[in-house]
mmCIF file of all heavy atoms in Angstrom:
data_model
loop_
_atom_site.group_PDB
_atom_site.id
_atom_site.type_symbol
_atom_site.label_atom_id
_atom_site.label_comp_id
_atom_site.label_asym_id
_atom_site.label_seq_id
_atom_site.Cartn_x
_atom_site.Cartn_y
_atom_site.Cartn_z
ATOM 1 N N LYS Z 29 0.944 -29.851 3.767
ATOM 2 C CA LYS Z 29 0.056 -28.703 3.938
ATOM 3 C C LYS Z 29 0.529 -27.874 5.123
ATOM 4 O O LYS Z 29 0.841 -28.412 6.197
ATOM 5 C CB LYS Z 29 -1.368 -29.175 4.223
ATOM 6 C CG LYS Z 29 -2.147 -29.593 2.995
ATOM 7 C CD LYS Z 29 -3.609 -29.826 3.371
ATOM 8 C CE LYS Z 29 -4.452 -30.076 2.140
ATOM 9 N NZ LYS Z 29 -5.898 -30.215 2.520
ATOM 10 N N PRO Z 30 0.583 -26.515 4.998
ATOM 11 C CA PRO Z 30 0.821 -25.690 6.167
ATOM 12 C C PRO Z 30 -0.354 -25.841 7.139
ATOM 13 O O PRO Z 30 -1.494 -26.077 6.720
ATOM 14 C CB PRO Z 30 0.839 -24.260 5.601
ATOM 15 C CG PRO Z 30 0.921 -24.440 4.113
ATOM 16 C CD PRO Z 30 0.367 -25.735 3.772
ATOM 17 N N LYS Z 31 -0.098 -25.689 8.415
ATOM 18 C CA LYS Z 31 -1.186 -25.812 9.416
ATOM 19 C C LYS Z 31 -2.030 -24.511 9.428
ATOM 20 O O LYS Z 31 -3.240 -24.561 9.673
ATOM 21 C CB LYS Z 31 -0.626 -26.091 10.788
ATOM 22 C CG LYS Z 31 -0.179 -27.507 10.960
ATOM 23 C CD LYS Z 31 0.078 -27.858 12.446
ATOM 24 C CE LYS Z 31 0.438 -29.328 12.597
ATOM 25 N NZ LYS Z 31 0.665 -29.685 14.007
ATOM 26 N N VAL Z 32 -1.386 -23.373 9.203
ATOM 27 C CA VAL Z 32 -2.115 -22.111 9.205
ATOM 28 C C VAL Z 32 -1.700 -21.263 7.997
ATOM 29 O O VAL Z 32 -0.505 -21.176 7.719
ATOM 30 C CB VAL Z 32 -1.885 -21.304 10.505
ATOM 31 C CG1 VAL Z 32 -2.643 -19.999 10.490
ATOM 32 C CG2 VAL Z 32 -2.209 -22.124 11.746
ATOM 33 N N LEU Z 33 -2.658 -20.728 7.300
ATOM 34 C CA LEU Z 33 -2.406 -19.784 6.244
ATOM 35 C C LEU Z 33 -2.634 -18.363 6.765
ATOM 36 O O LEU Z 33 -3.750 -18.035 7.212
ATOM 37 C CB LEU Z 33 -3.341 -20.017 5.033
ATOM 38 C CG LEU Z 33 -3.214 -21.384 4.341
ATOM 39 C CD1 LEU Z 33 -4.232 -21.453 3.204
ATOM 40 C CD2 LEU Z 33 -1.808 -21.646 3.838
ATOM 41 N N PHE Z 34 -1.595 -17.541 6.782
ATOM 42 C CA PHE Z 34 -1.666 -16.173 7.235
ATOM 43 C C PHE Z 34 -1.724 -15.258 5.996
ATOM 44 O O PHE Z 34 -0.929 -15.397 5.097
ATOM 45 C CB PHE Z 34 -0.416 -15.777 8.061
ATOM 46 C CG PHE Z 34 -0.329 -16.479 9.390
ATOM 47 C CD1 PHE Z 34 0.234 -17.743 9.473
ATOM 48 C CD2 PHE Z 34 -0.780 -15.887 10.555
ATOM 49 C CE1 PHE Z 34 0.351 -18.395 10.664
ATOM 50 C CE2 PHE Z 34 -0.674 -16.513 11.783
ATOM 51 C CZ PHE Z 34 -0.116 -17.785 11.857
ATOM 52 N N PHE Z 35 -2.684 -14.346 6.007
ATOM 53 C CA PHE Z 35 -2.873 -13.448 4.846
ATOM 54 C C PHE Z 35 -2.577 -12.017 5.205
ATOM 55 O O PHE Z 35 -3.144 -11.471 6.160
ATOM 56 C CB PHE Z 35 -4.332 -13.535 4.366
ATOM 57 C CG PHE Z 35 -4.710 -14.831 3.711
ATOM 58 C CD1 PHE Z 35 -5.007 -15.947 4.515
ATOM 59 C CD2 PHE Z 35 -4.778 -14.938 2.336
ATOM 60 C CE1 PHE Z 35 -5.343 -17.148 3.905
ATOM 61 C CE2 PHE Z 35 -5.119 -16.127 1.749
ATOM 62 C CZ PHE Z 35 -5.421 -17.244 2.530
ATOM 63 N N ASP Z 36 -1.691 -11.397 4.435
ATOM 64 C CA ASP Z 36 -1.633 -9.937 4.457
ATOM 65 C C ASP Z 36 -2.953 -9.444 3.900
ATOM 66 O O ASP Z 36 -3.671 -10.134 3.206
ATOM 67 C CB ASP Z 36 -0.436 -9.465 3.609
ATOM 68 C CG ASP Z 36 -0.365 -7.959 3.566
ATOM 69 O OD1 ASP Z 36 -0.287 -7.329 4.612
ATOM 70 O OD2 ASP Z 36 -0.428 -7.418 2.467
ATOM 71 N N VAL Z 37 -3.293 -8.155 4.206
ATOM 72 C CA VAL Z 37 -4.626 -7.679 3.818
ATOM 73 C C VAL Z 37 -4.576 -6.681 2.676
ATOM 74 O O VAL Z 37 -5.149 -6.957 1.584
ATOM 75 C CB VAL Z 37 -5.306 -7.040 5.066
ATOM 76 C CG1 VAL Z 37 -6.649 -6.397 4.647
ATOM 77 C CG2 VAL Z 37 -5.513 -8.101 6.148
ATOM 78 N N ASN Z 38 -3.937 -5.529 2.861
ATOM 79 C CA ASN Z 38 -4.004 -4.494 1.831
ATOM 80 C C ASN Z 38 -3.173 -4.853 0.625
ATOM 81 O O ASN Z 38 -1.971 -5.178 0.730
ATOM 82 C CB ASN Z 38 -3.495 -3.180 2.436
ATOM 83 C CG ASN Z 38 -4.401 -2.664 3.522
ATOM 84 O OD1 ASN Z 38 -5.611 -2.623 3.361
ATOM 85 N ND2 ASN Z 38 -3.857 -2.297 4.673
ATOM 86 N N GLU Z 39 -3.764 -4.840 -0.542
ATOM 87 C CA GLU Z 39 -3.239 -5.219 -1.835
ATOM 88 C C GLU Z 39 -3.272 -6.702 -2.022
ATOM 89 O O GLU Z 39 -3.549 -7.212 -3.136
ATOM 90 C CB GLU Z 39 -1.829 -4.682 -2.073
ATOM 91 C CG GLU Z 39 -1.399 -4.726 -3.542
ATOM 92 C CD GLU Z 39 -2.278 -3.820 -4.420
ATOM 93 O OE1 GLU Z 39 -1.980 -2.633 -4.547
ATOM 94 O OE2 GLU Z 39 -3.275 -4.299 -4.990
ATOM 95 N N THR Z 40 -3.024 -7.505 -0.968
ATOM 96 C CA THR Z 40 -3.119 -8.946 -1.103
ATOM 97 C C THR Z 40 -4.548 -9.392 -1.306
ATOM 98 O O THR Z 40 -4.887 -10.121 -2.244
ATOM 99 C CB THR Z 40 -2.486 -9.606 0.111
ATOM 100 O OG1 THR Z 40 -1.110 -9.216 0.269
ATOM 101 C CG2 THR Z 40 -2.545 -11.119 0.018
ATOM 102 N N LEU Z 41 -5.429 -8.929 -0.399
ATOM 103 C CA LEU Z 41 -6.831 -9.273 -0.476
ATOM 104 C C LEU Z 41 -7.698 -8.139 -0.987
ATOM 105 O O LEU Z 41 -8.668 -8.323 -1.705
ATOM 106 C CB LEU Z 41 -7.363 -9.671 0.950
ATOM 107 C CG LEU Z 41 -6.674 -10.880 1.609
ATOM 108 C CD1 LEU Z 41 -7.226 -11.039 3.022
ATOM 109 C CD2 LEU Z 41 -6.913 -12.145 0.797
ATOM 110 N N LEU Z 42 -7.341 -6.893 -0.598
ATOM 111 C CA LEU Z 42 -8.133 -5.733 -0.925
ATOM 112 C C LEU Z 42 -7.495 -4.890 -2.031
ATOM 113 O O LEU Z 42 -6.281 -4.681 -2.056
ATOM 114 C CB LEU Z 42 -8.319 -4.858 0.353
ATOM 115 C CG LEU Z 42 -8.979 -5.525 1.534
ATOM 116 C CD1 LEU Z 42 -9.100 -4.558 2.710
ATOM 117 C CD2 LEU Z 42 -10.363 -6.080 1.189
ATOM 118 N N ASP Z 43 -8.321 -4.424 -2.899
ATOM 119 C CA ASP Z 43 -7.895 -3.582 -4.010
ATOM 120 C C ASP Z 43 -7.702 -2.158 -3.551
ATOM 121 O O ASP Z 43 -8.618 -1.499 -3.096
ATOM 122 C CB ASP Z 43 -8.991 -3.647 -5.133
ATOM 123 C CG ASP Z 43 -8.542 -2.933 -6.418
ATOM 124 O OD1 ASP Z 43 -7.572 -2.176 -6.398
ATOM 125 O OD2 ASP Z 43 -9.227 -3.147 -7.425
ATOM 126 N N LEU Z 44 -6.461 -1.657 -3.705
ATOM 127 C CA LEU Z 44 -6.080 -0.319 -3.194
ATOM 128 C C LEU Z 44 -6.365 0.795 -4.167
ATOM 129 O O LEU Z 44 -6.010 1.939 -3.887
ATOM 130 C CB LEU Z 44 -4.610 -0.300 -2.811
ATOM 131 C CG LEU Z 44 -4.155 -1.188 -1.645
ATOM 132 C CD1 LEU Z 44 -2.676 -0.992 -1.395
ATOM 133 C CD2 LEU Z 44 -4.949 -0.905 -0.394
ATOM 134 N N THR Z 45 -7.038 0.517 -5.259
ATOM 135 C CA THR Z 45 -7.206 1.544 -6.296
ATOM 136 C C THR Z 45 -7.848 2.846 -5.754
ATOM 137 O O THR Z 45 -7.383 3.949 -6.061
ATOM 138 C CB THR Z 45 -8.058 1.024 -7.485
ATOM 139 O OG1 THR Z 45 -7.381 -0.142 -8.051
ATOM 140 C CG2 THR Z 45 -8.241 2.085 -8.519
ATOM 141 N N ALA Z 46 -8.901 2.701 -4.952
ATOM 142 C CA ALA Z 46 -9.620 3.876 -4.457
ATOM 143 C C ALA Z 46 -8.703 4.715 -3.527
ATOM 144 O O ALA Z 46 -8.717 5.980 -3.619
ATOM 145 C CB ALA Z 46 -10.861 3.465 -3.662
ATOM 146 N N MET Z 47 -7.887 4.064 -2.720
ATOM 147 C CA MET Z 47 -6.961 4.820 -1.872
ATOM 148 C C MET Z 47 -5.869 5.483 -2.693
ATOM 149 O O MET Z 47 -5.485 6.636 -2.413
ATOM 150 C CB MET Z 47 -6.376 3.922 -0.802
ATOM 151 C CG MET Z 47 -5.600 4.713 0.257
ATOM 152 S SD MET Z 47 -4.853 3.694 1.493
ATOM 153 C CE MET Z 47 -3.515 2.981 0.553
ATOM 154 N N LYS Z 48 -5.366 4.814 -3.696
ATOM 155 C CA LYS Z 48 -4.338 5.390 -4.546
ATOM 156 C C LYS Z 48 -4.871 6.623 -5.265
ATOM 157 O O LYS Z 48 -4.182 7.653 -5.393
ATOM 158 C CB LYS Z 48 -3.852 4.346 -5.566
ATOM 159 C CG LYS Z 48 -3.052 3.228 -4.981
ATOM 160 C CD LYS Z 48 -2.639 2.195 -6.053
ATOM 161 C CE LYS Z 48 -1.871 1.052 -5.430
ATOM 162 N NZ LYS Z 48 -1.586 -0.005 -6.434
ATOM 163 N N ASN Z 49 -6.132 6.539 -5.708
ATOM 164 C CA ASN Z 49 -6.741 7.708 -6.353
ATOM 165 C C ASN Z 49 -6.889 8.878 -5.367
ATOM 166 O O ASN Z 49 -6.651 10.028 -5.721
ATOM 167 C CB ASN Z 49 -8.113 7.338 -6.918
ATOM 168 C CG ASN Z 49 -8.036 6.421 -8.148
ATOM 169 O OD1 ASN Z 49 -6.998 6.328 -8.764
ATOM 170 N ND2 ASN Z 49 -9.122 5.714 -8.411
ATOM 171 N N SER Z 50 -7.258 8.546 -4.139
ATOM 172 C CA SER Z 50 -7.433 9.597 -3.113
ATOM 173 C C SER Z 50 -6.064 10.225 -2.775
ATOM 174 O O SER Z 50 -5.963 11.476 -2.709
ATOM 175 C CB SER Z 50 -8.037 8.989 -1.873
ATOM 176 O OG SER Z 50 -8.175 9.929 -0.827
ATOM 177 N N VAL Z 51 -5.050 9.419 -2.603
ATOM 178 C CA VAL Z 51 -3.715 9.963 -2.309
ATOM 179 C C VAL Z 51 -3.207 10.742 -3.504
ATOM 180 O O VAL Z 51 -2.592 11.793 -3.334
ATOM 181 C CB VAL Z 51 -2.738 8.819 -1.931
ATOM 182 C CG1 VAL Z 51 -1.337 9.328 -1.849
ATOM 183 C CG2 VAL Z 51 -3.162 8.178 -0.618
ATOM 184 N N GLY Z 52 -3.445 10.262 -4.709
ATOM 185 C CA GLY Z 52 -3.030 10.979 -5.905
ATOM 186 C C GLY Z 52 -3.660 12.350 -6.019
ATOM 187 O O GLY Z 52 -3.005 13.328 -6.387
ATOM 188 N N SER Z 53 -4.943 12.452 -5.635
ATOM 189 C CA SER Z 53 -5.638 13.752 -5.614
ATOM 190 C C SER Z 53 -4.978 14.679 -4.618
ATOM 191 O O SER Z 53 -4.821 15.875 -4.864
ATOM 192 C CB SER Z 53 -7.106 13.541 -5.338
ATOM 193 O OG SER Z 53 -7.732 12.827 -6.365
ATOM 194 N N ALA Z 54 -4.686 14.142 -3.434
ATOM 195 C CA ALA Z 54 -4.043 14.972 -2.401
ATOM 196 C C ALA Z 54 -2.673 15.470 -2.853
ATOM 197 O O ALA Z 54 -2.225 16.528 -2.420
ATOM 198 C CB ALA Z 54 -3.884 14.151 -1.112
ATOM 199 N N LEU Z 55 -2.039 14.724 -3.730
ATOM 200 C CA LEU Z 55 -0.736 15.133 -4.270
ATOM 201 C C LEU Z 55 -0.894 15.893 -5.576
ATOM 202 O O LEU Z 55 0.039 15.939 -6.422
ATOM 203 C CB LEU Z 55 0.141 13.905 -4.491
ATOM 204 C CG LEU Z 55 0.584 13.181 -3.213
ATOM 205 C CD1 LEU Z 55 1.310 11.873 -3.523
ATOM 206 C CD2 LEU Z 55 1.508 14.086 -2.353
ATOM 207 N N GLU Z 56 -2.076 16.464 -5.772
ATOM 208 C CA GLU Z 56 -2.387 17.334 -6.922
ATOM 209 C C GLU Z 56 -2.202 16.602 -8.260
ATOM 210 O O GLU Z 56 -1.695 17.153 -9.233
ATOM 211 C CB GLU Z 56 -1.524 18.599 -6.877
ATOM 212 C CG GLU Z 56 -1.802 19.469 -5.663
ATOM 213 C CD GLU Z 56 -0.987 20.755 -5.629
ATOM 214 O OE1 GLU Z 56 -0.054 20.890 -6.462
ATOM 215 O OE2 GLU Z 56 -1.275 21.617 -4.752
ATOM 216 N N GLY Z 57 -2.583 15.356 -8.247
ATOM 217 C CA GLY Z 57 -2.553 14.548 -9.468
ATOM 218 C C GLY Z 57 -1.191 14.023 -9.886
ATOM 219 O O GLY Z 57 -1.041 13.453 -10.958
ATOM 220 N N LYS Z 58 -0.185 14.226 -9.016
ATOM 221 C CA LYS Z 58 1.163 13.732 -9.345
ATOM 222 C C LYS Z 58 1.279 12.252 -8.950
ATOM 223 O O LYS Z 58 1.896 11.879 -7.934
ATOM 224 C CB LYS Z 58 2.191 14.562 -8.627
ATOM 225 C CG LYS Z 58 2.202 16.049 -9.059
ATOM 226 C CD LYS Z 58 3.228 16.864 -8.333
ATOM 227 C CE LYS Z 58 3.196 18.308 -8.800
ATOM 228 N NZ LYS Z 58 4.192 19.155 -8.072
ATOM 229 N N ASN Z 59 0.659 11.418 -9.785
ATOM 230 C CA ASN Z 59 0.591 9.970 -9.427
ATOM 231 C C ASN Z 59 1.971 9.295 -9.425
ATOM 232 O O ASN Z 59 2.099 8.173 -8.900
ATOM 233 C CB ASN Z 59 -0.342 9.255 -10.392
ATOM 234 C CG ASN Z 59 -1.794 9.648 -10.190
ATOM 235 O OD1 ASN Z 59 -2.177 10.133 -9.096
ATOM 236 N ND2 ASN Z 59 -2.631 9.462 -11.190
ATOM 237 N N ASP Z 60 2.963 9.906 -10.039
ATOM 238 C CA ASP Z 60 4.307 9.379 -9.993
ATOM 239 C C ASP Z 60 4.865 9.370 -8.578
ATOM 240 O O ASP Z 60 5.866 8.678 -8.304
ATOM 241 C CB ASP Z 60 5.222 10.113 -10.944
ATOM 242 C CG ASP Z 60 5.298 11.599 -10.625
ATOM 243 O OD1 ASP Z 60 4.241 12.217 -10.481
ATOM 244 O OD2 ASP Z 60 6.416 12.133 -10.540
ATOM 245 N N LEU Z 61 4.231 10.126 -7.678
ATOM 246 C CA LEU Z 61 4.725 10.189 -6.299
ATOM 247 C C LEU Z 61 4.091 9.107 -5.408
ATOM 248 O O LEU Z 61 4.473 8.971 -4.224
ATOM 249 C CB LEU Z 61 4.380 11.559 -5.677
ATOM 250 C CG LEU Z 61 5.050 12.763 -6.344
ATOM 251 C CD1 LEU Z 61 4.574 14.059 -5.698
ATOM 252 C CD2 LEU Z 61 6.594 12.655 -6.223
ATOM 253 N N LEU Z 62 3.160 8.333 -5.937
ATOM 254 C CA LEU Z 62 2.471 7.327 -5.121
ATOM 255 C C LEU Z 62 3.429 6.258 -4.566
ATOM 256 O O LEU Z 62 3.369 5.900 -3.363
ATOM 257 C CB LEU Z 62 1.395 6.625 -5.956
ATOM 258 C CG LEU Z 62 0.108 7.442 -6.208
ATOM 259 C CD1 LEU Z 62 -0.807 6.689 -7.189
ATOM 260 C CD2 LEU Z 62 -0.622 7.729 -4.899
ATOM 261 N N LYS Z 63 4.347 5.751 -5.393
ATOM 262 C CA LYS Z 63 5.280 4.755 -4.926
ATOM 263 C C LYS Z 63 6.241 5.344 -3.884
ATOM 264 O O LYS Z 63 6.576 4.713 -2.869
ATOM 265 C CB LYS Z 63 6.081 4.177 -6.086
ATOM 266 C CG LYS Z 63 5.271 3.265 -6.984
ATOM 267 C CD LYS Z 63 6.144 2.624 -8.053
ATOM 268 C CE LYS Z 63 5.325 1.655 -8.908
ATOM 269 N NZ LYS Z 63 6.134 1.012 -9.953
ATOM 270 N N LEU Z 64 6.623 6.620 -4.064
ATOM 271 C CA LEU Z 64 7.454 7.264 -3.103
ATOM 272 C C LEU Z 64 6.745 7.420 -1.761
ATOM 273 O O LEU Z 64 7.318 7.201 -0.701
ATOM 274 C CB LEU Z 64 7.885 8.651 -3.599
ATOM 275 C CG LEU Z 64 8.699 9.512 -2.612
ATOM 276 C CD1 LEU Z 64 9.994 8.835 -2.241
ATOM 277 C CD2 LEU Z 64 8.987 10.879 -3.218
ATOM 278 N N TRP Z 65 5.432 7.750 -1.828
ATOM 279 C CA TRP Z 65 4.654 7.868 -0.584
ATOM 280 C C TRP Z 65 4.627 6.517 0.152
ATOM 281 O O TRP Z 65 4.861 6.453 1.332
ATOM 282 C CB TRP Z 65 3.229 8.336 -0.891
ATOM 283 C CG TRP Z 65 2.313 8.001 0.239
ATOM 284 C CD1 TRP Z 65 2.280 8.546 1.479
ATOM 285 C CD2 TRP Z 65 1.287 6.965 0.271
ATOM 286 N NE1 TRP Z 65 1.340 7.958 2.270
ATOM 287 C CE2 TRP Z 65 0.712 6.988 1.541
ATOM 288 C CE3 TRP Z 65 0.842 6.067 -0.692
ATOM 289 C CZ2 TRP Z 65 -0.308 6.090 1.892
ATOM 290 C CZ3 TRP Z 65 -0.171 5.177 -0.324
ATOM 291 C CH2 TRP Z 65 -0.726 5.210 0.997
ATOM 292 N N PHE Z 66 4.336 5.426 -0.578
ATOM 293 C CA PHE Z 66 4.223 4.116 0.035
ATOM 294 C C PHE Z 66 5.549 3.686 0.677
ATOM 295 O O PHE Z 66 5.606 3.178 1.796
ATOM 296 C CB PHE Z 66 3.720 3.049 -0.912
ATOM 297 C CG PHE Z 66 3.494 1.748 -0.246
ATOM 298 C CD1 PHE Z 66 2.343 1.479 0.425
ATOM 299 C CD2 PHE Z 66 4.479 0.730 -0.316
ATOM 300 C CE1 PHE Z 66 2.143 0.257 1.097
ATOM 301 C CE2 PHE Z 66 4.290 -0.474 0.358
ATOM 302 C CZ PHE Z 66 3.124 -0.707 1.030
ATOM 303 N N THR Z 67 6.646 3.872 -0.054
ATOM 304 C CA THR Z 67 7.949 3.465 0.484
ATOM 305 C C THR Z 67 8.328 4.326 1.682
ATOM 306 O O THR Z 67 8.968 3.845 2.646
ATOM 307 C CB THR Z 67 9.048 3.523 -0.582
ATOM 308 O OG1 THR Z 67 9.098 4.854 -1.148
ATOM 309 C CG2 THR Z 67 8.819 2.537 -1.684
ATOM 310 N N THR Z 68 7.915 5.607 1.684
ATOM 311 C CA THR Z 68 8.190 6.467 2.823
ATOM 312 C C THR Z 68 7.358 5.979 4.019
ATOM 313 O O THR Z 68 7.884 5.970 5.157
ATOM 314 C CB THR Z 68 7.832 7.935 2.487
ATOM 315 O OG1 THR Z 68 8.572 8.342 1.342
ATOM 316 C CG2 THR Z 68 8.156 8.869 3.656
ATOM 317 N N MET Z 69 6.145 5.607 3.800
ATOM 318 C CA MET Z 69 5.311 5.075 4.876
ATOM 319 C C MET Z 69 5.934 3.795 5.479
ATOM 320 O O MET Z 69 6.039 3.659 6.682
ATOM 321 C CB MET Z 69 3.892 4.767 4.352
ATOM 322 C CG MET Z 69 3.015 4.055 5.390
ATOM 323 S SD MET Z 69 1.293 3.910 4.829
ATOM 324 C CE MET Z 69 1.481 2.856 3.380
ATOM 325 N N LEU Z 70 6.376 2.902 4.601
ATOM 326 C CA LEU Z 70 7.004 1.685 5.089
ATOM 327 C C LEU Z 70 8.304 1.984 5.811
ATOM 328 O O LEU Z 70 8.572 1.434 6.883
ATOM 329 C CB LEU Z 70 7.267 0.738 3.914
ATOM 330 C CG LEU Z 70 7.855 -0.610 4.254
ATOM 331 C CD1 LEU Z 70 6.913 -1.410 5.138
ATOM 332 C CD2 LEU Z 70 8.176 -1.396 2.996
ATOM 333 N N GLN Z 71 9.083 2.909 5.277
ATOM 334 C CA GLN Z 71 10.347 3.311 5.924
ATOM 335 C C GLN Z 71 10.114 3.801 7.363
ATOM 336 O O GLN Z 71 10.803 3.380 8.285
ATOM 337 C CB GLN Z 71 11.039 4.388 5.098
ATOM 338 C CG GLN Z 71 12.286 4.939 5.767
ATOM 339 C CD GLN Z 71 12.879 6.164 5.027
ATOM 340 O OE1 GLN Z 71 12.369 6.548 3.970
ATOM 341 N NE2 GLN Z 71 13.906 6.753 5.558
ATOM 342 N N TYR Z 72 9.146 4.672 7.491
ATOM 343 C CA TYR Z 72 8.932 5.245 8.855
ATOM 344 C C TYR Z 72 8.190 4.316 9.786
ATOM 345 O O TYR Z 72 8.298 4.467 11.019
ATOM 346 C CB TYR Z 72 8.294 6.644 8.741
ATOM 347 C CG TYR Z 72 9.353 7.660 8.416
ATOM 348 C CD1 TYR Z 72 9.686 7.970 7.097
ATOM 349 C CD2 TYR Z 72 10.124 8.227 9.413
ATOM 350 C CE1 TYR Z 72 10.722 8.868 6.791
ATOM 351 C CE2 TYR Z 72 11.116 9.116 9.147
ATOM 352 C CZ TYR Z 72 11.420 9.439 7.828
ATOM 353 O OH TYR Z 72 12.435 10.306 7.560
ATOM 354 N N SER Z 73 7.477 3.336 9.271
ATOM 355 C CA SER Z 73 6.943 2.304 10.172
ATOM 356 C C SER Z 73 8.097 1.458 10.778
ATOM 357 O O SER Z 73 8.094 1.178 11.979
ATOM 358 C CB SER Z 73 5.974 1.375 9.422
ATOM 359 O OG SER Z 73 6.671 0.517 8.517
ATOM 360 N N LEU Z 74 9.126 1.246 9.958
ATOM 361 C CA LEU Z 74 10.283 0.503 10.465
ATOM 362 C C LEU Z 74 11.179 1.380 11.353
ATOM 363 O O LEU Z 74 11.763 0.911 12.328
ATOM 364 C CB LEU Z 74 11.081 -0.057 9.305
ATOM 365 C CG LEU Z 74 10.342 -1.073 8.431
ATOM 366 C CD1 LEU Z 74 11.219 -1.569 7.300
ATOM 367 C CD2 LEU Z 74 9.886 -2.248 9.306
#
């Protein structure tokens, strides 16, 4: 058994559907851009 279980939060525990819908609306319904947005966010965090 591991001594500690560490959990990521967003998407792992929490359902991101509402945020994806909100971001999709901001992108004028171009939901195909959602993955690009997320990878860009991750890229610039790094």
Side-chain angles (χ1 to χ4, degrees):
K29 281 188 173 184
K31 285 193 175 179
V32 181
L33 299 179
F34 293 84
F35 290 79
D36 177 56
V37 174
N38 295 313
E39 197 63 86
T40 301
L41 300 175
L42 301 180
D43 186 345
L44 295 182
T45 300
M47 190 182 72
K48 290 176 181 177
N49 290 340
S50 178
V51 171
S53 295
L55 293 172
E56 297 181 350
K58 297 179 180 179
N59 290 339
D60 58 311
L61 296 176
L62 286 173
K63 288 185 178 180
L64 176 60
W65 160 70
F66 184 81
T67 55
T68 303
M69 174 172 63
L70 183 61
Q71 175 188 355
Y72 279 91
S73 71
L74 297 180

